[in-house]
Amino acid sequence: MTSPASEDRHHDARQHGPLDRLWAVVPAGGAGTRLWPLSRAGAPKFLLDLTGSGRTLIQATADRLAPLVGERVVVVTGAAHEAAVRRQLPHVAQVIAEPSPRDSMAAIGLAAARLELEDPEALIGSFAADHVITDEEAFAACVAEAAEVAARGLLVTIGIEPTHAATGFGYVRGGEPLPGFATARVVTEFVEKPDAQRAEAYVLSGEYRWNAGMFLVRAATLLDLLAENHPDLAAGLRAIAADPSTLEERWPRLTKIAIDHAVAEPAAAAGRVAMVPGPFGWEDLGDFTALAAMTPAGPDGMRVLGDDSLVLSRDAHGLVVPAAGRTVAVVGLEDVVVVDTGDALLVTTYAHAQDVKAIVDDLKRSGRPHLT
Amino acid sequence: MTSPASEDRHHDARQHGPLDRLWAVVPAGGAGTRLWPLSRAGAPKFLLDLTGSGRTLIQATADRLAPLVGERVVVVTGAAHEAAVRRQLPHVAQVIAEPSPRDSMAAIGLAAARLELEDPEALIGSFAADHVITDEEAFAACVAEAAEVAARGLLVTIGIEPTHAATGFGYVRGGEPLPGFATARVVTEFVEKPDAQRAEAYVLSGEYRWNAGMFLVRAATLLDLLAENHPDLAAGLRAIAADPSTLEERWPRLTKIAIDHAVAEPAAAAGRVAMVPGPFGWEDLGDFTALAAMTPAGPDGMRVLGDDSLVLSRDAHGLVVPAAGRTVAVVGLEDVVVVDTGDALLVTTYAHAQDVKAIVDDLKRSGRPHLT
């Protein structure tokens, strides 16, 4: 029933719809010290296969984005990881190497400034390199709606349905529905990581969602919003984009600020932020407890990330990562975490998963930075 | 004040005292599966340095015996370990390789039969290859008294003061003092490993001591006592000693029996066993809990057997054996046991130390005997 003419129209509509101008910007930073000794300064978690899928987290991120943006992906990472990112993602359009870490506004803003120059109507969608999303179709539908909203000049955040009263994430509060869209709402407030009591109240209210740092916006809108509050930073990023040879000189002088503080919070206060609910499973794999939750339990109750033939357990439950290829036997421990790598071994519990970071500090202090 | 004549007399007395006819017999068997993965079939615990002293358990045993017997040491071990024993103990007089394990009576009896041929008045003292003794002077004094008693034709066991109501050892009950000796008593009873309630009663009574398998006896007396209850076994052992070329043929037909059952229990019933109390620290290092008890705790509360610079701990107590040379970090665990070796890793707790044996069985069953 489709005539060649209607096919052409359809084709034209796709060519000029917001998704066709969307670029994925993937900030790939953070050492993931709470996942030591798997994650190291030289091999941070986004470069690792932490789900046993055969793809690293950044590869899975690119795979998930491919149906939406194809190869229109810009990865922004530390200079130390540029080569590894290019090896893992040979087909992405651009890899921007930051000379030094200057927080998320500079990283994403530089990508935005470059894309704005190429296409003044370009949309960007920022997606962290190390998140896990379990329903990719729902993700794609959500991003498509967010792109439509972003094309209207709003900053659009994707709000994750909280599964528990987490104190480790910021929250975003949804207000009135946005007319003309299926699920989008106006955002009335961004809130930083709450204490346990407030987190509980947010979740019970039904009005708050997790701010997972995923947002879509016109590149030019982002920089214009930034210019209202941090004109020097916006100008600095646009100047680097206009003359990349000035990167090394200008970069260290850019204001170090998170994008939420620099743009999202003031824009929300001004009513210029929308939220599209993300009806999909999401996990940031921040520590070994989160990793365990993603790893199915075997018949003996032990969760093994890797070759489960290497693990023997008796009266034991928890997570074992036999990454060194050695046999690991665990007897009589609950909620234990055993991470076995070639040069370092960690033994802890779910309850102490957050304390692993302190071991990394201990290693640095005791003259063993090569293990971190 | 000492004249040459009195020196000579002293010298003569030593030359002809019981200690001068004493040979140490060191049965070196047992895989030590509860100390896996440190202890392996190919490297049983007596071949390992489990105390961090720089000497293996069998070397420490020979060191402890040297002031008493010099090089008059006979080690009886499996054929598989003969070369390792000779390497570790280049100066011991004899190493007897058992063609196959035939329990303690055959092992010690063969050594006795050989020594009886060389010297009809020879005394033997049997000392396991893998025990740890902390007061070597008290040990030497105890053995000297036991040798005097044994020279009178009794079987003399060394009774260890119980430190707790252990259910893993047999007990020996001391009766009337033996006239003419400082501490020796008649033994009225040998009892096998008791249940917890009986063990408690034994310890409370003050009459029972642990039977640690250390005893002294004239070689000929041992074989004569054996001949009363197991004449074929005594004859077989004496025949092998008379013609060593018959070892391979006769050995597999010898009765497989523990020396306690074959000789000590019937002799005690006949009033022919004495006990000399052993007033020294003794440990059989049967499992990782015993090993932990021997290993001092560091300032952070963790006990490290090996290079403690490899171990980092936070809110953790227990035993770490970093035998693979890798860094081991332990966070938030009580009474944990972490044993890190080149090809296998064990994580367990003191309370489950006895269950480690089951892992060795699991490895054999699952086609990984090379790890056991």
Side-chain angles (χ1 to χ4, degrees):
Chain A
M1 302 293 286
T2 308
S3 71
S6 79
E7 271 191 338
D8 278 351
R9 262 201 314 279
H10 184 63
H11 187 251
D12 284 348
R14 278 174 51 206
Q15 281 299 324
H16 300 102
L19 271 188
D20 300 304
R21 310 198 103 128
L22 177 65
W23 285 72
V25 175
V26 176
T33 49
R34 282 168 304 174
L35 291 176
W36 181 89
L38 273 191
S39 177
R40 308 286 180 105
K45 62 177 176 170
F46 60 86
L47 293 175
L48 307 177
D49 171 13
L50 292 181
T51 64
S53 67
R55 300 285 280 171
T56 67
L57 294 181
I58 200 171
Q59 287 176 322
T61 299
D63 294 349
R64 183 188 314 128
L65 292 166
L68 296 160
V69 300
E71 297 181 0
R72 294 193 310 277
V73 175
V74 183
V75 177
V76 189
T77 193
H81 307 307
E82 183 185 1
V85 168
R86 289 187 190 279
R87 242 186 343 262
Q88 292 199 0
L89 299 176
H91 301 301
V92 303
Q94 297 182 38
V95 178
I96 299 178
E98 301 170 284
S100 61
R102 293 216 71 75
D103 218 327
S104 55
M105 187 65 244
I108 297 166
L110 179 57
R114 285 203 187 175
L115 294 168
E116 175 195 41
L117 273 187
E118 290 178 22
D119 173 5
E121 291 305 314
L123 292 175
I124 65 166
S126 172
F127 305 97
D130 52 9
H131 293 173
V132 173
I133 286 171
T134 46
D135 181 346
E136 307 216 336
E137 282 190 27
F139 170 76
C142 174
V143 171
E145 180 175 342
E148 299 278 350
V149 180
R152 302 272 188 93
L154 293 173
L155 178 69
V156 189
T157 183
I158 293 177
I160 306 294
E161 180 86 48
T163 57
H164 61 282
T167 56
F169 311 131
Y171 285 69
V172 55
R173 184 180 193 177
E176 292 300 306
L178 204 65
F181 293 96
T183 66
R185 294 177 166 269
V186 172
V187 164
T188 58
E189 191 185 11
F190 273 82
V191 287
E192 297 206 46
K193 296 176 184 177
D195 60 27
Q197 200 179 352
R198 279 218 290 174
E200 197 73 44
Y202 290 163
V203 172
L204 286 173
S205 76
E207 292 176 10
Y208 289 82
R209 290 181 158 252
W210 287 338
N211 172 17
M214 277 183 272
F215 62 86
L216 289 89
V217 64
R218 284 175 66 246
T221 301
L222 179 69
L223 292 161
D224 291 347
L225 286 168
L226 178 63
E228 291 175 20
N229 294 287
H230 299 276
D232 288 355
L233 180 50
L237 292 167
R238 281 172 159 155
I240 294 170
D243 181 0
S245 72
T246 64
L247 172 68
E248 296 286 342
E249 175 217 329
R250 291 181 189 273
W251 185 261
R253 303 205 310 261
L254 297 180
T255 306
K256 218 169 167 175
I257 187 169
I259 195 164
D260 285 358
H261 296 318
V263 169
E265 289 163 12
R272 290 157 76 180
V273 179
M275 185 262 285
V276 172
F280 45 77
W282 171 86
E283 185 59 73
D284 83 334
L285 296 186
D287 60 28
F288 285 113
T289 306
L291 205 55
M294 292 287 301
T295 308
D300 60 353
M302 190 57 89
R303 298 168 195 276
V304 177
L305 178 59
D307 179 355
D308 59 8
S309 77
L310 290 170
V311 179
L312 288 93
S313 77
R314 286 196 159 246
D315 304 320
H317 297 92
L319 173 71
V320 178
V321 188
R326 303 182 317 153
T327 292
V328 179
V330 185
V331 183
L333 284 153
E334 292 295 316
D335 294 345
V336 70
V337 174
V338 179
V339 183
D340 186 34
T341 73
D343 57 357
L345 163 67
L346 171 72
V347 181
T348 187
T349 66
Y350 292 165
H352 288 82
Q354 296 280 322
D355 306 340
V356 171
K357 197 176 167 51
I359 288 288
V360 176
D361 296 336
D362 289 346
L363 286 167
K364 284 180 186 149
R365 257 199 306 275
S366 62
R368 286 170 278 191
H370 57 286
L371 290 173
T372 67
Chain B
M1 301 294 286
T2 308
S3 72
S6 76
E7 269 188 340
D8 279 350
R9 262 201 314 280
H10 185 63
H11 186 250
D12 283 349
R14 277 174 51 207
Q15 279 298 325
H16 300 101
L19 270 187
D20 299 304
R21 309 197 104 128
L22 177 65
W23 286 71
V25 175
V26 177
T33 50
R34 283 169 302 174
L35 290 177
W36 182 90
L38 273 192
S39 178
R40 308 286 180 104
K45 64 178 175 170
F46 60 86
L47 294 175
L48 307 177
D49 171 13
L50 293 182
T51 63
S53 68
R55 300 287 280 170
T56 68
L57 294 181
I58 199 170
Q59 287 176 322
T61 299
D63 294 347
R64 184 188 314 128
L65 292 166
L68 296 160
V69 298
E71 297 181 359
R72 295 193 308 277
V73 176
V74 183
V75 178
V76 189
T77 192
H81 307 307
E82 183 184 359
V85 168
R86 289 189 189 278
R87 238 186 344 263
Q88 291 199 1
L89 297 177
H91 301 300
V92 301
Q94 297 182 39
V95 179
I96 299 179
E98 301 171 284
S100 61
R102 294 217 67 76
D103 218 327
S104 55
M105 188 65 244
I108 296 165
L110 180 56
R114 286 202 185 175
L115 294 169
E116 175 195 40
L117 272 188
E118 291 179 22
D119 174 4
E121 293 304 314
L123 293 175
I124 64 166
S126 172
F127 305 98
D130 52 9
H131 292 173
V132 173
I133 285 170
T134 46
D135 181 346
E136 307 215 336
E137 283 191 25
F139 171 76
C142 175
V143 171
E145 180 175 343
E148 300 278 351
V149 181
R152 303 271 188 95
L154 294 172
L155 178 69
V156 189
T157 184
I158 293 176
I160 306 294
E161 180 85 50
T163 55
H164 62 281
T167 56
F169 311 130
Y171 285 68
V172 56
R173 185 180 191 176
E176 293 300 305
L178 204 66
F181 293 95
T183 65
R185 296 177 165 269
V186 173
V187 165
T188 57
E189 190 187 12
F190 273 81
V191 288
E192 299 206 45
K193 297 176 185 178
D195 59 25
Q197 202 180 349
R198 280 219 289 174
E200 196 73 45
Y202 290 163
V203 173
L204 285 174
S205 77
E207 292 176 9
Y208 290 82
R209 289 182 160 252
W210 287 339
N211 172 16
M214 278 183 273
F215 62 88
L216 288 89
V217 65
R218 285 177 64 248
T221 302
L222 179 70
L223 292 160
D224 292 347
L225 286 168
L226 179 62
E228 291 176 21
N229 294 287
H230 299 275
D232 289 356
L233 180 50
L237 292 166
R238 282 173 158 152
I240 294 170
D243 181 0
S245 72
T246 63
L247 172 68
E248 297 286 342
E249 176 217 331
R250 292 182 189 273
W251 186 260
R253 306 205 308 263
L254 299 179
T255 307
K256 217 170 167 175
I257 187 169
I259 195 164
D260 286 358
H261 296 319
V263 169
E265 290 163 12
R272 292 156 76 180
V273 179
M275 184 262 287
V276 173
F280 45 77
W282 171 86
E283 185 58 73
D284 84 335
L285 296 186
D287 61 26
F288 285 114
T289 306
L291 205 54
M294 292 287 301
T295 308
D300 60 353
M302 189 58 88
R303 297 169 196 275
V304 177
L305 178 58
D307 179 356
D308 60 8
S309 77
L310 291 170
V311 179
L312 288 93
S313 76
R314 285 197 159 244
D315 303 319
H317 297 92
L319 174 70
V320 177
V321 189
R326 304 179 318 151
T327 293
V328 178
V330 185
V331 183
L333 283 152
E334 291 296 315
D335 292 345
V336 70
V337 174
V338 178
V339 184
D340 186 35
T341 73
D343 58 358
L345 163 67
L346 171 72
V347 181
T348 187
T349 66
Y350 292 164
H352 287 81
Q354 295 282 323
D355 305 341
V356 171
K357 198 174 165 53
I359 288 289
V360 176
D361 296 336
D362 289 347
L363 286 167
K364 284 180 185 148
R365 259 200 305 277
S366 62
R368 284 169 278 191
H370 57 285
L371 289 174
T372 68

PDB file of all heavy atoms in Angstrom, chain A residues 75-99:
ATOM      1  N   VAL A  75      33.138  10.284  21.755  1.00  0.00           N
ATOM      2  CA  VAL A  75      33.562   9.872  23.093  1.00  0.00           C
ATOM      3  C   VAL A  75      34.532  10.922  23.626  1.00  0.00           C
ATOM      4  O   VAL A  75      35.450  11.336  22.915  1.00  0.00           O
ATOM      5  CB  VAL A  75      34.253   8.488  23.056  1.00  0.00           C
ATOM      6  CG1 VAL A  75      34.753   8.101  24.454  1.00  0.00           C
ATOM      7  CG2 VAL A  75      33.303   7.430  22.501  1.00  0.00           C
ATOM      8  N   VAL A  76      34.315  11.361  24.856  1.00  0.00           N
ATOM      9  CA  VAL A  76      35.245  12.294  25.491  1.00  0.00           C
ATOM     10  C   VAL A  76      35.898  11.557  26.645  1.00  0.00           C
ATOM     11  O   VAL A  76      35.214  11.108  27.571  1.00  0.00           O
ATOM     12  CB  VAL A  76      34.512  13.548  26.025  1.00  0.00           C
ATOM     13  CG1 VAL A  76      35.540  14.589  26.487  1.00  0.00           C
ATOM     14  CG2 VAL A  76      33.580  14.122  24.975  1.00  0.00           C
ATOM     15  N   THR A  77      37.212  11.390  26.558  1.00  0.00           N
ATOM     16  CA  THR A  77      37.891  10.573  27.572  1.00  0.00           C
ATOM     17  C   THR A  77      39.248  11.166  27.914  1.00  0.00           C
ATOM     18  O   THR A  77      39.708  12.114  27.252  1.00  0.00           O
ATOM     19  CB  THR A  77      38.020   9.112  27.083  1.00  0.00           C
ATOM     20  OG1 THR A  77      38.408   8.277  28.187  1.00  0.00           O
ATOM     21  CG2 THR A  77      39.048   8.990  25.962  1.00  0.00           C
ATOM     22  N   GLY A  78      39.880  10.613  28.941  1.00  0.00           N
ATOM     23  CA  GLY A  78      41.214  11.068  29.299  1.00  0.00           C
ATOM     24  C   GLY A  78      42.220  10.663  28.242  1.00  0.00           C
ATOM     25  O   GLY A  78      42.056   9.630  27.573  1.00  0.00           O
ATOM     26  N   ALA A  79      43.265  11.480  28.092  1.00  0.00           N
ATOM     27  CA  ALA A  79      44.283  11.190  27.080  1.00  0.00           C
ATOM     28  C   ALA A  79      44.836   9.772  27.260  1.00  0.00           C
ATOM     29  O   ALA A  79      45.129   9.078  26.281  1.00  0.00           O
ATOM     30  CB  ALA A  79      45.411  12.216  27.164  1.00  0.00           C
ATOM     31  N   ALA A  80      44.915   9.306  28.520  1.00  0.00           N
ATOM     32  CA  ALA A  80      45.484   7.979  28.796  1.00  0.00           C
ATOM     33  C   ALA A  80      44.640   6.853  28.204  1.00  0.00           C
ATOM     34  O   ALA A  80      45.145   5.757  27.975  1.00  0.00           O
ATOM     35  CB  ALA A  80      45.610   7.775  30.305  1.00  0.00           C
ATOM     36  N   HIS A  81      43.366   7.117  27.957  1.00  0.00           N
ATOM     37  CA  HIS A  81      42.471   6.050  27.488  1.00  0.00           C
ATOM     38  C   HIS A  81      42.090   6.184  26.017  1.00  0.00           C
ATOM     39  O   HIS A  81      41.341   5.366  25.502  1.00  0.00           O
ATOM     40  CB  HIS A  81      41.209   6.019  28.348  1.00  0.00           C
ATOM     41  CG  HIS A  81      41.513   5.936  29.804  1.00  0.00           C
ATOM     42  ND1 HIS A  81      42.350   4.963  30.331  1.00  0.00           N
ATOM     43  CD2 HIS A  81      41.137   6.712  30.843  1.00  0.00           C
ATOM     44  CE1 HIS A  81      42.466   5.160  31.633  1.00  0.00           C
ATOM     45  NE2 HIS A  81      41.753   6.207  31.970  1.00  0.00           N
ATOM     46  N   GLU A  82      42.612   7.229  25.355  1.00  0.00           N
ATOM     47  CA  GLU A  82      42.201   7.480  23.978  1.00  0.00           C
ATOM     48  C   GLU A  82      42.475   6.267  23.083  1.00  0.00           C
ATOM     49  O   GLU A  82      41.602   5.823  22.337  1.00  0.00           O
ATOM     50  CB  GLU A  82      42.933   8.718  23.431  1.00  0.00           C
ATOM     51  CG  GLU A  82      42.483   9.067  22.012  1.00  0.00           C
ATOM     52  CD  GLU A  82      43.275  10.227  21.398  1.00  0.00           C
ATOM     53  OE1 GLU A  82      44.197  10.754  22.079  1.00  0.00           O
ATOM     54  OE2 GLU A  82      42.981  10.579  20.239  1.00  0.00           O
ATOM     55  N   ALA A  83      43.673   5.713  23.194  1.00  0.00           N
ATOM     56  CA  ALA A  83      44.036   4.599  22.312  1.00  0.00           C
ATOM     57  C   ALA A  83      43.148   3.385  22.573  1.00  0.00           C
ATOM     58  O   ALA A  83      42.672   2.730  21.633  1.00  0.00           O
ATOM     59  CB  ALA A  83      45.509   4.231  22.519  1.00  0.00           C
ATOM     60  N   ALA A  84      42.885   3.094  23.851  1.00  0.00           N
ATOM     61  CA  ALA A  84      42.051   1.940  24.186  1.00  0.00           C
ATOM     62  C   ALA A  84      40.626   2.138  23.665  1.00  0.00           C
ATOM     63  O   ALA A  84      39.998   1.201  23.161  1.00  0.00           O
ATOM     64  CB  ALA A  84      42.046   1.704  25.691  1.00  0.00           C
ATOM     65  N   VAL A  85      40.116   3.362  23.786  1.00  0.00           N
ATOM     66  CA  VAL A  85      38.757   3.638  23.298  1.00  0.00           C
ATOM     67  C   VAL A  85      38.702   3.452  21.779  1.00  0.00           C
ATOM     68  O   VAL A  85      37.790   2.817  21.244  1.00  0.00           O
ATOM     69  CB  VAL A  85      38.303   5.056  23.709  1.00  0.00           C
ATOM     70  CG1 VAL A  85      37.038   5.448  22.959  1.00  0.00           C
ATOM     71  CG2 VAL A  85      38.081   5.130  25.216  1.00  0.00           C
ATOM     72  N   ARG A  86      39.697   3.963  21.078  1.00  0.00           N
ATOM     73  CA  ARG A  86      39.704   3.818  19.612  1.00  0.00           C
ATOM     74  C   ARG A  86      39.800   2.342  19.210  1.00  0.00           C
ATOM     75  O   ARG A  86      39.220   1.913  18.226  1.00  0.00           O
ATOM     76  CB  ARG A  86      40.871   4.598  18.991  1.00  0.00           C
ATOM     77  CG  ARG A  86      40.682   6.100  19.043  1.00  0.00           C
ATOM     78  CD  ARG A  86      41.792   6.824  18.242  1.00  0.00           C
ATOM     79  NE  ARG A  86      41.763   8.262  18.459  1.00  0.00           N
ATOM     80  CZ  ARG A  86      40.941   9.109  17.833  1.00  0.00           C
ATOM     81  NH1 ARG A  86      40.077   8.650  16.931  1.00  0.00           N
ATOM     82  NH2 ARG A  86      40.989  10.400  18.093  1.00  0.00           N
ATOM     83  N   ARG A  87      40.566   1.564  19.991  1.00  0.00           N
ATOM     84  CA  ARG A  87      40.679   0.132  19.698  1.00  0.00           C
ATOM     85  C   ARG A  87      39.350  -0.567  19.917  1.00  0.00           C
ATOM     86  O   ARG A  87      38.935  -1.396  19.120  1.00  0.00           O
ATOM     87  CB  ARG A  87      41.724  -0.498  20.633  1.00  0.00           C
ATOM     88  CG  ARG A  87      42.904  -1.087  19.936  1.00  0.00           C
ATOM     89  CD  ARG A  87      43.885  -1.834  20.825  1.00  0.00           C
ATOM     90  NE  ARG A  87      43.804  -1.596  22.235  1.00  0.00           N
ATOM     91  CZ  ARG A  87      44.595  -0.736  22.903  1.00  0.00           C
ATOM     92  NH1 ARG A  87      45.504  -0.021  22.257  1.00  0.00           N
ATOM     93  NH2 ARG A  87      44.471  -0.598  24.206  1.00  0.00           N
ATOM     94  N   GLN A  88      38.676  -0.216  21.024  1.00  0.00           N
ATOM     95  CA  GLN A  88      37.423  -0.904  21.337  1.00  0.00           C
ATOM     96  C   GLN A  88      36.280  -0.437  20.441  1.00  0.00           C
ATOM     97  O   GLN A  88      35.328  -1.197  20.207  1.00  0.00           O
ATOM     98  CB  GLN A  88      37.051  -0.682  22.808  1.00  0.00           C
ATOM     99  CG  GLN A  88      37.997  -1.373  23.775  1.00  0.00           C
ATOM    100  CD  GLN A  88      37.378  -1.528  25.167  1.00  0.00           C
ATOM    101  OE1 GLN A  88      36.250  -1.127  25.414  1.00  0.00           O
ATOM    102  NE2 GLN A  88      38.127  -2.135  26.063  1.00  0.00           N
ATOM    103  N   LEU A  89      36.351   0.816  19.980  1.00  0.00           N
ATOM    104  CA  LEU A  89      35.272   1.393  19.174  1.00  0.00           C
ATOM    105  C   LEU A  89      35.849   1.949  17.878  1.00  0.00           C
ATOM    106  O   LEU A  89      35.930   3.162  17.691  1.00  0.00           O
ATOM    107  CB  LEU A  89      34.573   2.509  19.954  1.00  0.00           C
ATOM    108  CG  LEU A  89      33.886   2.138  21.265  1.00  0.00           C
ATOM    109  CD1 LEU A  89      33.337   3.390  21.945  1.00  0.00           C
ATOM    110  CD2 LEU A  89      32.758   1.140  21.023  1.00  0.00           C
ATOM    111  N   PRO A  90      36.266   1.066  16.959  1.00  0.00           N
ATOM    112  CA  PRO A  90      36.954   1.567  15.760  1.00  0.00           C
ATOM    113  C   PRO A  90      36.050   2.408  14.852  1.00  0.00           C
ATOM    114  O   PRO A  90      36.558   3.148  14.021  1.00  0.00           O
ATOM    115  CB  PRO A  90      37.414   0.284  15.053  1.00  0.00           C
ATOM    116  CG  PRO A  90      36.583  -0.817  15.630  1.00  0.00           C
ATOM    117  CD  PRO A  90      36.198  -0.395  17.005  1.00  0.00           C
ATOM    118  N   HIS A  91      34.714   2.323  15.045  1.00  0.00           N
ATOM    119  CA  HIS A  91      33.822   2.979  14.092  1.00  0.00           C
ATOM    120  C   HIS A  91      33.197   4.265  14.585  1.00  0.00           C
ATOM    121  O   HIS A  91      32.434   4.885  13.861  1.00  0.00           O
ATOM    122  CB  HIS A  91      32.712   2.008  13.674  1.00  0.00           C
ATOM    123  CG  HIS A  91      33.258   0.765  13.048  1.00  0.00           C
ATOM    124  ND1 HIS A  91      34.053   0.792  11.915  1.00  0.00           N
ATOM    125  CD2 HIS A  91      33.173  -0.531  13.416  1.00  0.00           C
ATOM    126  CE1 HIS A  91      34.426  -0.441  11.605  1.00  0.00           C
ATOM    127  NE2 HIS A  91      33.907  -1.270  12.510  1.00  0.00           N
ATOM    128  N   VAL A  92      33.458   4.689  15.826  1.00  0.00           N
ATOM    129  CA  VAL A  92      32.810   5.923  16.257  1.00  0.00           C
ATOM    130  C   VAL A  92      33.433   7.107  15.559  1.00  0.00           C
ATOM    131  O   VAL A  92      34.611   7.081  15.168  1.00  0.00           O
ATOM    132  CB  VAL A  92      32.858   6.138  17.790  1.00  0.00           C
ATOM    133  CG1 VAL A  92      32.230   4.977  18.523  1.00  0.00           C
ATOM    134  CG2 VAL A  92      34.268   6.416  18.273  1.00  0.00           C
ATOM    135  N   ALA A  93      32.610   8.155  15.379  1.00  0.00           N
ATOM    136  CA  ALA A  93      33.043   9.292  14.573  1.00  0.00           C
ATOM    137  C   ALA A  93      34.238  10.008  15.192  1.00  0.00           C
ATOM    138  O   ALA A  93      35.212  10.321  14.509  1.00  0.00           O
ATOM    139  CB  ALA A  93      31.871  10.257  14.395  1.00  0.00           C
ATOM    140  N   GLN A  94      34.166  10.280  16.494  1.00  0.00           N
ATOM    141  CA  GLN A  94      35.216  11.096  17.108  1.00  0.00           C
ATOM    142  C   GLN A  94      35.551  10.604  18.507  1.00  0.00           C
ATOM    143  O   GLN A  94      34.671  10.189  19.243  1.00  0.00           O
ATOM    144  CB  GLN A  94      34.756  12.563  17.253  1.00  0.00           C
ATOM    145  CG  GLN A  94      34.468  13.273  15.958  1.00  0.00           C
ATOM    146  CD  GLN A  94      34.068  14.724  16.215  1.00  0.00           C
ATOM    147  OE1 GLN A  94      34.615  15.387  17.105  1.00  0.00           O
ATOM    148  NE2 GLN A  94      33.113  15.213  15.428  1.00  0.00           N
ATOM    149  N   VAL A  95      36.835  10.705  18.817  1.00  0.00           N
ATOM    150  CA  VAL A  95      37.253  10.520  20.201  1.00  0.00           C
ATOM    151  C   VAL A  95      38.003  11.792  20.594  1.00  0.00           C
ATOM    152  O   VAL A  95      38.994  12.154  19.960  1.00  0.00           O
ATOM    153  CB  VAL A  95      38.169   9.296  20.382  1.00  0.00           C
ATOM    154  CG1 VAL A  95      38.625   9.183  21.838  1.00  0.00           C
ATOM    155  CG2 VAL A  95      37.458   8.026  19.941  1.00  0.00           C
ATOM    156  N   ILE A  96      37.476  12.486  21.591  1.00  0.00           N
ATOM    157  CA  ILE A  96      38.137  13.695  22.076  1.00  0.00           C
ATOM    158  C   ILE A  96      38.923  13.330  23.330  1.00  0.00           C
ATOM    159  O   ILE A  96      38.363  12.767  24.266  1.00  0.00           O
ATOM    160  CB  ILE A  96      37.110  14.799  22.420  1.00  0.00           C
ATOM    161  CG1 ILE A  96      36.297  15.184  21.177  1.00  0.00           C
ATOM    162  CG2 ILE A  96      37.819  16.013  23.017  1.00  0.00           C
ATOM    163  CD1 ILE A  96      35.220  16.242  21.451  1.00  0.00           C
ATOM    164  N   ALA A  97      40.231  13.630  23.291  1.00  0.00           N
ATOM    165  CA  ALA A  97      41.066  13.333  24.457  1.00  0.00           C
ATOM    166  C   ALA A  97      41.223  14.593  25.292  1.00  0.00           C
ATOM    167  O   ALA A  97      41.766  15.596  24.826  1.00  0.00           O
ATOM    168  CB  ALA A  97      42.426  12.825  24.014  1.00  0.00           C
ATOM    169  N   GLU A  98      40.733  14.542  26.528  1.00  0.00           N
ATOM    170  CA  GLU A  98      40.912  15.678  27.436  1.00  0.00           C
ATOM    171  C   GLU A  98      42.359  15.701  27.908  1.00  0.00           C
ATOM    172  O   GLU A  98      42.852  14.674  28.402  1.00  0.00           O
ATOM    173  CB  GLU A  98      40.042  15.519  28.678  1.00  0.00           C
ATOM    174  CG  GLU A  98      38.575  15.401  28.416  1.00  0.00           C
ATOM    175  CD  GLU A  98      37.862  15.000  29.706  1.00  0.00           C
ATOM    176  OE1 GLU A  98      37.939  13.825  30.090  1.00  0.00           O
ATOM    177  OE2 GLU A  98      37.249  15.877  30.320  1.00  0.00           O
ATOM    178  N   PRO A  99      43.011  16.838  27.857  1.00  0.00           N
ATOM    179  CA  PRO A  99      44.389  16.902  28.376  1.00  0.00           C
ATOM    180  C   PRO A  99      44.446  16.584  29.866  1.00  0.00           C
ATOM    181  O   PRO A  99      45.439  16.052  30.344  1.00  0.00           O
ATOM    182  CB  PRO A  99      44.802  18.354  28.113  1.00  0.00           C
ATOM    183  CG  PRO A  99      43.869  18.839  27.042  1.00  0.00           C
ATOM    184  CD  PRO A  99      42.576  18.109  27.255  1.00  0.00           C
TER     185      PRO A  99
END
